[in-house]
Amino acid sequence: MTWDQMQELMWPATWETFGMVGIAGLASLLIGLPIGLLLVLTDKGGLLQNLAVSRVLGAVVNVGRSIPFVILIVAVIPLTRAIAGTTLGWQAASVPLAIGAVPFFARLVETSVREVDGGLVEALKSMGAGTGSIVRKTLLPEALPALVASATTTVIALIGYSAMAGAVGGGGLGDLAIRYGYQRFETTFMWVIVAELVVIVTVIQLLGDLAARRLSHRGDYRSPLGFFRSASAEPKDTEEDLLSSH
């Protein structure tokens, strides 16, 4: 197979991969983020403590994460057909991709939000801040660098899942690698696709790491927690100034 023939096949498959990963990533953000927040808020000691809701949500997330993706694709075929109208192609593959990504991202969100200093959240609560205000102005801003890193991890995982979706006619680069690299013994073409996937994953990881670093270094002036951190730092600075003056 010539390079021109490879390019003619690879470009459409690349956009199909971006399409299914983009749809599934957006779904995981819109659904997984609220679920992850609820897992924290409804847990013991949370702002909306409700152990029954927390346990049910946790069980659903655990079940979703424990199902291997290849099995999940087959298990949700009726739902895929109902939503996409077909079980073949990248549009159909977006459905099981989204279902698999939501619990994965929800757990990452839970971990990221739990890293926010609980003592400072309690301080804001004691000042009369409501749950919605604390979530919007404190939990999410403070956890934003970790959330960006979590989203990056999720997107990279989705690229791997999309390659597996190619095994059952899901389209994209995975489907191309299987049909030509495996079934037609075009080994060179398969390794070209693997190299492209490596480049895509590397670029996404670098961009995600850069965004997370920028957000973590932007300072505390936009966060209500910055007030408490500045206040707690004043005695230390004053003591250092007094020592230096002597």
Side-chain angles (χ1 to χ4, degrees):
M1 181 178 290
T2 65
W3 174 245
D4 290 337
Q5 291 174 323
M6 291 183 188
Q7 285 185 308
E8 186 177 350
L9 294 169
M10 286 174 62
W11 283 115
T14 300
W15 288 114
E16 288 178 357
T17 296
F18 286 154
M20 69 176 84
V21 170
I23 292 174
L26 181 61
S28 66
L29 178 64
L30 296 177
I31 303 174
L33 180 60
I35 292 176
L37 284 171
L38 283 174
L39 285 171
V40 176
L41 296 176
T42 60
D43 199 7
K44 185 176 181 180
L47 296 174
L48 299 174
Q49 179 174 318
N50 189 321
L51 296 182
V53 173
S54 179
R55 288 168 183 167
V56 170
L57 278 177
V60 171
V61 169
N62 289 337
V63 170
R65 292 181 61 199
S66 64
I67 302 175
F69 183 67
V70 174
I71 297 176
L72 180 65
I73 295 175
V74 178
V76 300
I77 282 179
L79 179 61
T80 300
R81 185 180 290 111
I83 295 176
T86 180
T87 58
L88 299 176
W90 69 269
Q91 296 93 338
S94 301
V95 177
L97 277 173
I99 295 173
V102 166
F104 179 81
F105 184 60
R107 280 301 185 192
L108 294 179
V109 170
E110 179 190 12
T111 302
S112 300
V113 175
R114 287 190 188 280
E115 292 177 356
V116 177
D117 191 339
L120 297 175
V121 173
E122 286 297 322
L124 289 172
K125 186 179 177 181
S126 67
M127 294 177 63
T131 300
S133 178
I134 293 176
V135 170
R136 292 193 309 272
K137 298 180 180 180
T138 301
L139 289 180
L140 290 179
E142 288 293 317
L144 191 56
L147 289 174
V148 170
S150 298
T152 303
T153 301
T154 303
V155 170
I156 291 174
L158 281 171
I159 293 175
Y161 289 163
S162 71
M164 285 188 279
V168 290
L173 292 170
D175 177 59
L176 205 62
I178 292 171
R179 284 193 294 115
Y180 286 87
Y182 176 71
Q183 295 177 351
R184 302 186 184 184
F185 303 102
E186 294 284 352
T187 307
T188 301
F189 190 26
M190 182 181 66
W191 283 112
V192 170
I193 295 173
V194 170
E196 182 182 1
L197 288 171
V198 169
V199 170
I200 292 173
V201 168
T202 301
V203 170
I204 292 174
Q205 186 67 64
L206 289 174
L207 292 176
D209 289 345
L210 177 62
R213 285 197 299 269
R214 289 288 181 86
L215 289 169
S216 63
H217 293 157
R218 66 181 181 175
D220 295 326
Y221 62 92
R222 293 184 181 179
S223 170
L225 298 186
F227 171 80
F228 297 100
R229 289 174 178 168
S230 299
S232 63
E234 285 177 1
K236 180 180 179 181
D237 295 339
T238 303
E239 184 180 354
E240 289 178 352
D241 292 339
L242 290 173
L243 291 174
S244 63
S245 64
H246 294 288

